[in-house]
Amino acid sequence: MASEDTSPSHSHHRDSIKSSVGNTAANRRRQQAISIGKERREALIRAKRLCRDSIFDDDNNEKGLDEGEMVIDEEQSVLNARTAQTVQELKSSLSYQGKDATQKTIEALRALRKLLSKSEVPPIEAAIQGGAVPLLVQCLSFGSADEQLLEAAWCVTNIAAGGPEDTKSLLPALPLLIAHLGEKSSGHVAEQCAWALGNVAGEDMELRSILFAQGALLPLTRLMLSNRESTARTAAWALSNLIKGPDPKAANELIRIEAITDTIVKHLKTADEELVTEVAWVVVYLSALSDKAISILVRSDVVPVLVNWLVGSESLQLLIPVLRSLGNLVAADAYITHSVLIVGNNITDQVLYGLIKCLKSEHRVLKKEALWVLSNIAAGTLEHKTLIFSSEAVPLLIDLLSAAPFEIRKEAAYTLGNICVGPTKGSDNKSDIIVTHLVPLVKGGCLPGFVNLVRSADLESARVGLIFLELVMRGYPNGEGPKLVEREDGIDAMERFQFHENQEMRNMANALVDKYFGADYGV
Amino acid sequence: MDSMDSSVASPDLGLELGFPFWVASRRRFKPDDPFFASGNLERELLAKHVALDLTEDERFQLQRMEIADANLFCPIAGCGARLEYLEEFEDHYNTRHMASCSVCFRVYPTSRLLSIHISEVHDSFFQAKVARGFPMYECLVEGCGAKLKSYKSRQRHLIDKHRFPSNFEFYKKAHPSKHQRQKLQRKAYKGGDAKDQESFMDLDAKKESKQTRPKHYRPKQEVKSGTERESEMEVETKLHHPQTTETKVVTNSEAKNEKAKAETEMEVEERIEDIVSGISKLSTVDASSPSSVSFGHRHSRGFAFVPRSVRNQNQISKREQTRKP
């Protein structure tokens, strides 16, 4: 807030006072926003999308200032009052029997829609409390004019972008929205309804279940085939919200739809990155939830197309679902590493290239999830381990192990460890240690990073660190392991666990210290 | 996530359950796993039509909040301090769990354990009371209040009453390497010149090659006979232990000689100022209480300060003397 200067001689001070008053409301909201950050984050995770602009350009609504401007300085109470009033107008126009009834209704709807789309904080509660929902349901009835359907669906879209209570109040509207997805509907109407449904589905599992039971899956999927790119995109997004689970039933149902894989491939091959992004998210959830989908996808063209995007795209928004889809597929099914990403095939080199690109990225998410994928590939055949070991990934891995935030360090640790441990077990029933990888990695300076992990307060990280140290002490040639570990203060790190509250950690650490740094040490 | 597999019990590691050796296996996450949370958040932030308009500031804060969300508590038994973020742990540990003994540089996670250590290891008064049959060995669990007559019986008390694991060793043997490390660090702090350090290290090397170990080492988990136990009593910090009661446990002369030798050499290492002189008298002790009870680990990662006691050994001897009854 601008400080208030009592001296009137400088006009700019007066201006600043004026502007501070003008911005008070916005600033206050801003402050509020920061302090309720957690709620907002949860709102984000609910994956709603407010519809602020018309979904098509050639609308016959008034263009110009009226369309474009946002109602920023409106006080919330004023906004609420206007909303209540507008709802009343809608109500009266619906009961009006005269010849302009439809036009009046459309105008009232439009006014409501503008309030719900132009305000910085849409007056959703006011609309609901004013009784808007049953009126909107009425407006959505079959046979209504397209424009009416459109405006009504738009209002519902934005109400559904609200909180849990707001969204749940829309239950009566759902079957109608689903119905208007049908192929007989106007394209714009169908798209707007898809948007509304996407918001509803984004709310929680319960609503997703209801929508699924009411049969939203099939029409949305059909809509995804639309020639209109914005419709296909919106439908894909809504679909991803519908199947995201955690209940896998919608995902399992989706993969059973005839030609869904072909549709997905077709869309992934377009140049429209936004469409590719949304469809990739559909693949994310299919691959995360449905084993049947995984089995089909790994044998399809989806994988090579995803790999192409991984290599070729620079867009964070696109790379996240592409990377994660591949990650889910690699994690779930050995088929990929063994039959698709065979060492020697071009696609394998491409994947590695793409993953390394993500490791070099500045984005935490890309680094972390790429490491996860890499660690799973490194859990494959000996050839895979050697491939990664000989690539430029290794110095990156060691660097990330040492310097990155802990969750990234952990993933780097898994990758490096998997590179050093073979897929086969020896006669002692312990996995074979690949000494030709272990020695250079240790020489390359990975030990301090692992010792550091042992020191972590995060149990899993500490565990991973300890288990790697055991590898080094057992498998490093000429019995040099213990000395190397000691040099990095490994004993110190392990002895901390004497007082760790976790029994397994205490046992593990004590066992290692006893075995490798007992009385015989140094003789 | 089961990349680590609890495999076959390894006899040489002596655990019932077996050490979970590294197994390279794929890890899979459910879609709502926290692992994916940051990616999900990013998706919504990048989407053009977020329901809430965010400023750059708010976006940044949200992302930071999401990392901080992990419920973190200090894993040191009995502490439970809330950590706001993981990186804080190191500082927290250094502040709260590094109660260090100025005599032998061992480090304990609480000041209470430190003071128990000091009594049991560096206090001749304590040993005297023990010898006279007073129950001096405190239970390690805060609030229990039990006092036991011997190290062993306290150990048993911990296992029986407080369900400590049977392999929990309050008394941990130090390894000669730690002595070396510490010595070097102290030297570095002292600011000794390079030449000093070199000669110091040479001495180390010489010492190391000459060092022998008690021949009767056994893994701790086994029940030990008196003799074995005695020979295990490594002479770590006999530094300033004044004479206490003689023990009746007899070791074979060879072990004794070796031990004496090892003791001597350890002693020598400890002294910074005077490498050759001042070998304090050592005593073999009763099997039931180790002459130097020393749990906890040595603080080897550098000192915040160098205790005066380190810089001048004489002062310590003096201090020890004042503690005599």
Side-chain angles (χ1 to χ4, degrees):
Chain A
M1 281 256 245
S3 61
E4 272 141 6
D5 192 293
T6 47
S7 145
S9 50
H10 303 280
S11 57
H12 69 269
H13 282 299
R14 227 180 267 138
D15 282 344
S16 67
I17 294 173
K18 206 163 51 167
S19 60
S20 82
V21 164
N23 284 334
T24 294
N27 280 337
R28 211 189 316 128
R29 275 197 290 279
R30 202 123 291 180
Q31 289 305 313
Q32 246 189 339
I34 293 177
S35 67
I36 57 169
K38 190 156 191 230
E39 283 170 44
R40 286 165 86 80
R41 189 203 42 192
E42 273 155 19
L44 278 173
I45 298 298
R46 282 204 307 275
K48 308 295 186 84
R49 295 184 184 181
L50 200 62
C51 179
R52 288 210 186 274
D53 300 310
S54 174
I55 57 178
F56 51 98
D57 310 311
D58 54 274
D59 64 339
N60 50 15
N61 294 326
E62 332 79 68
K63 284 232 154 213
L65 286 170
D66 197 37
E67 262 315 303
E69 84 188 14
M70 291 282 292
V71 180
I72 295 182
D73 287 337
E74 196 82 47
E75 280 291 343
Q76 200 65 26
S77 54
V78 174
L79 201 55
N80 292 346
R82 279 182 59 186
T83 305
Q85 191 191 351
T86 309
V87 173
Q88 285 311 306
E89 281 162 22
L90 178 62
K91 186 169 184 193
S92 67
S93 67
L94 277 171
S95 51
Y96 182 63
Q97 298 288 350
K99 100 180 135 93
D100 288 330
T102 304
Q103 197 52 36
K104 279 190 150 59
T105 305
I106 291 175
E107 276 163 21
L109 279 172
R110 193 177 299 149
L112 182 60
R113 175 263 288 178
K114 284 193 181 157
L115 287 169
L116 288 171
S117 60
K118 296 301 174 199
S119 322
E120 200 177 326
V121 182
I124 295 173
E125 262 103 44
I128 296 174
Q129 271 155 34
V133 176
L135 302 173
L136 290 170
V137 172
Q138 217 180 318
C139 293
L140 286 170
S141 57
F142 297 125
S144 306
D146 278 354
E147 207 178 331
Q148 180 176 312
L149 292 173
L150 193 61
E151 294 285 355
W154 192 336
C155 291
V156 172
T157 300
N158 286 357
I159 293 178
E165 293 311 313
D166 306 330
T167 316
K168 287 184 158 79
S169 73
L170 293 168
L171 280 171
L174 300 185
L176 287 166
L177 290 170
I178 296 173
H180 287 300
L181 294 173
E183 66 271 17
K184 298 284 191 254
S185 292
S186 126
H188 299 142
V189 170
E191 184 176 327
Q192 195 61 63
C193 289
W195 195 323
L197 288 170
N199 275 348
V200 173
E203 179 59 51
D204 62 20
M205 187 64 229
E206 194 195 329
L207 283 165
R208 289 195 268 277
S209 250
I210 292 174
L211 285 175
F212 178 70
Q214 291 181 352
L217 187 74
L218 199 54
L220 271 179
T221 312
R222 269 199 224 113
L223 212 56
M224 206 171 65
L225 281 164
S226 168
N227 292 322
R228 275 191 70 226
E229 154 254 306
S230 66
T231 303
R233 213 184 329 127
T234 305
W237 166 72
L239 199 57
S240 74
N241 267 2
L242 184 61
I243 66 170
K244 76 188 337 176
D247 190 324
K249 61 180 179 229
N252 278 325
E253 191 57 39
L254 179 62
I255 196 66
R256 290 177 53 204
I257 292 178
E258 187 82 37
I260 184 63
T261 314
D262 292 336
T263 309
I264 289 174
V265 171
K266 175 173 155 231
H267 283 325
L268 287 177
K269 280 184 173 166
T270 69
D272 178 359
E273 289 204 0
E274 283 181 22
L275 178 60
V276 172
T277 302
E278 301 301 347
V279 175
W281 278 105
V282 174
V283 180
V284 164
Y285 292 118
L286 281 174
S287 58
L289 290 165
S290 167
D291 288 335
K292 187 162 169 55
I294 290 163
S295 169
I296 292 174
L297 290 169
V298 297
R299 290 166 174 80
S300 73
D301 264 355
V302 170
V303 175
V305 177
L306 286 175
V307 173
N308 279 341
W309 279 114
L310 180 70
V311 169
S313 171
E314 295 303 326
S315 153
L316 177 64
Q317 193 169 14
L318 193 153
L319 282 171
I320 293 178
V322 164
L323 181 58
R324 196 182 291 184
S325 299
L326 286 169
N328 284 340
L329 293 171
V330 170
D333 197 331
Y335 183 88
I336 283 224
T337 33
H338 289 89
S339 307
V340 179
L341 300 179
I342 298 174
V343 175
N345 287 1
N346 187 41
I347 191 176
T348 314
D349 297 327
Q350 295 223 296
V351 166
L352 191 55
Y353 175 87
L355 292 174
I356 290 176
K357 186 182 82 169
C358 292
L359 291 190
K360 292 182 187 165
S361 148
E362 52 174 6
H363 296 288
R364 238 178 72 225
V365 174
L366 291 183
K367 283 199 271 231
K368 183 174 78 165
E369 299 198 19
L371 282 171
W372 168 57
V373 182
L374 202 57
S375 74
N376 282 340
I377 296 178
T381 66
L382 187 57
E383 288 76 26
H384 285 108
K385 296 169 203 278
T386 308
L387 181 72
I388 300 174
F389 172 76
S390 343
S391 75
E392 57 167 315
V394 165
L396 288 169
L397 287 167
I398 297 181
D399 197 49
L400 289 165
L401 176 69
S402 315
F406 97 95
E407 38 170 20
I408 293 177
R409 281 188 277 129
K410 211 193 318 187
E411 297 304 316
Y414 275 117
T415 312
L416 287 166
N418 284 348
I419 292 175
C420 295
V421 172
T424 50
K425 284 196 177 168
S427 51
D428 54 4
N429 207 34
K430 300 173 195 165
S431 295
D432 293 325
I433 299 178
I434 306 172
V435 178
T436 46
H437 293 170
L438 182 66
V439 171
L441 286 180
V442 171
K443 288 205 169 122
C446 73
L447 262 188
F450 278 104
V451 172
N452 223 17
L453 270 182
V454 174
R455 290 220 172 85
S456 173
D458 175 51
L459 197 63
E460 193 196 339
S461 302
R463 204 161 172 274
V464 171
L466 262 186
I467 297 176
F468 187 84
L469 292 187
E470 193 276 335
L471 269 185
V472 173
M473 296 194 286
R474 172 167 44 106
Y476 204 91
N478 302 323
E480 284 176 31
K483 199 168 50 163
L484 292 167
V485 168
E486 188 210 342
R487 201 173 288 159
E488 302 303 335
D489 280 340
I491 307 179
D492 197 67
M494 286 188 274
E495 288 195 324
R496 256 200 215 187
F497 285 99
Q498 256 194 305
F499 295 98
H500 202 285
E501 61 192 0
N502 181 287
Q503 171 147 343
E504 196 208 4
M505 294 302 292
R506 280 202 305 268
N507 287 345
M508 280 168 61
N510 284 341
L512 287 183
V513 172
D514 286 348
K515 172 166 177 143
Y516 292 104
F517 300 103
D520 299 330
Y521 182 63
V523 176
Chain B
M1 251 182 288
D2 55 359
S3 145
M4 305 301 143
D5 129 274
S6 295
S7 56
V8 167
S10 164
D12 50 333
L13 282 184
L15 296 172
E16 307 95 57
L17 296 172
F19 190 94
F21 303 105
W22 194 297
V23 176
S25 59
R26 300 190 311 272
R27 290 169 300 134
R28 192 177 174 187
F29 301 116
K30 293 211 180 85
D32 51 1
D33 193 293
F35 183 80
F36 294 133
S38 41
N40 293 340
L41 190 71
E42 200 64 55
R43 177 191 188 186
E44 303 313 324
L45 289 174
L46 291 168
K48 288 202 210 95
H49 306 280
V50 284
L52 306 160
D53 281 332
L54 296 174
T55 62
E56 278 305 305
D57 248 2
E58 287 168 296
R59 288 184 181 214
F60 180 66
Q61 285 205 13
L62 279 174
Q63 285 173 320
R64 276 195 67 228
M65 268 178 54
E66 173 226 312
I67 315 170
D69 216 26
N71 259 339
L72 281 174
F73 296 92
C74 173
I76 300 300
C79 177
R82 173 90 206 274
L83 302 170
E84 228 178 271
Y85 49 95
L86 258 190
E87 282 73 10
E88 200 184 289
F89 178 54
E90 210 41 38
D91 281 342
H92 163 81
Y93 192 90
N94 288 333
T95 318
R96 297 259 180 244
H97 298 299
M98 297 277 263
S100 90
C101 177
S102 53
V103 176
C104 66
F105 316 115
R106 276 201 165 66
V107 179
Y108 302 94
T110 66
S111 35
R112 181 171 168 273
L113 289 174
L114 172 63
S115 78
I116 290 178
H117 154 78
I118 290 175
S119 310
E120 294 180 5
V121 178
H122 302 304
D123 188 357
S124 52
F125 184 60
F126 181 94
Q127 292 302 331
K129 300 273 281 190
V130 167
R132 288 205 209 108
F134 289 92
M136 297 295 289
Y137 288 90
E138 279 183 64
C139 171
L140 300 183
V141 175
E142 230 172 302
C144 173
K147 290 201 191 218
L148 291 304
K149 286 202 182 162
S150 74
Y151 176 85
K152 236 191 190 160
S153 52
R154 188 220 359 238
Q155 190 82 341
R156 227 176 299 119
H157 166 88
L158 291 173
I159 294 169
D160 294 340
K161 283 266 150 52
H162 299 292
R163 300 168 63 176
F164 271 46
S166 49
N167 63 350
F168 176 83
E169 267 302 335
F170 192 50
Y171 158 58
K172 290 280 293 181
K173 296 150 67 73
H175 7 274
S177 48
K178 284 207 288 197
H179 291 266
Q180 257 176 288
R181 259 185 292 127
Q182 266 144 15
K183 200 182 15 167
L184 286 173
Q185 266 164 346
R186 276 182 253 142
K187 193 73 183 170
Y189 259 88
K190 249 199 92 205
D193 60 43
K195 215 152 144 231
D196 275 344
Q197 292 220 319
E198 246 172 41
S199 57
F200 217 81
M201 291 201 248
D202 284 344
L203 209 53
D204 274 358
K206 263 198 271 171
K207 290 295 165 225
E208 210 180 18
S209 58
K210 274 202 259 169
Q211 263 169 0
T212 54
R213 296 282 147 267
K215 292 244 168 95
H216 303 288
Y217 171 70
R218 295 265 201 283
K220 283 203 187 56
Q221 288 69 31
E222 291 182 23
V223 174
K224 300 176 235 319
S225 72
T227 329
E228 286 171 348
R229 191 114 227 285
E230 208 267 334
S231 65
E232 264 173 34
M233 307 288 166
E234 233 184 57
V235 187
E236 314 169 280
T237 38
K238 299 289 182 23
L239 280 188
H240 315 293
H241 229 68
Q243 293 191 347
T244 57
T245 53
E246 290 295 311
T247 183
K248 36 187 176 37
V249 179
V250 168
T251 57
N252 64 56
S253 51
E254 191 195 29
K256 197 170 179 186
N257 283 345
E258 280 171 7
K259 217 161 63 78
K261 223 167 154 195
E263 290 175 3
T264 309
E265 287 167 355
M266 293 287 199
E267 291 287 330
V268 165
E269 279 171 17
E270 293 288 357
R271 292 188 189 271
I272 294 171
E273 308 289 353
D274 195 341
I275 295 170
V276 178
S277 69
I279 297 171
S280 61
K281 293 267 175 164
L282 307 162
S283 50
T284 52
V285 292
D286 186 90
S288 64
S289 90
S291 56
S292 67
V293 173
S294 44
F295 56 96
H297 60 272
R298 299 258 189 170
H299 178 40
S300 61
R301 273 180 286 115
F303 296 88
F305 70 99
V306 180
R308 232 182 300 140
S309 58
V310 173
R311 288 188 248 124
N312 190 344
Q313 300 292 34
N314 292 335
Q315 286 184 332
I316 291 176
S317 324
K318 274 197 208 138
R319 211 197 303 144
E320 286 291 345
Q321 268 156 24
T322 58
R323 282 211 211 134
K324 275 198 166 120

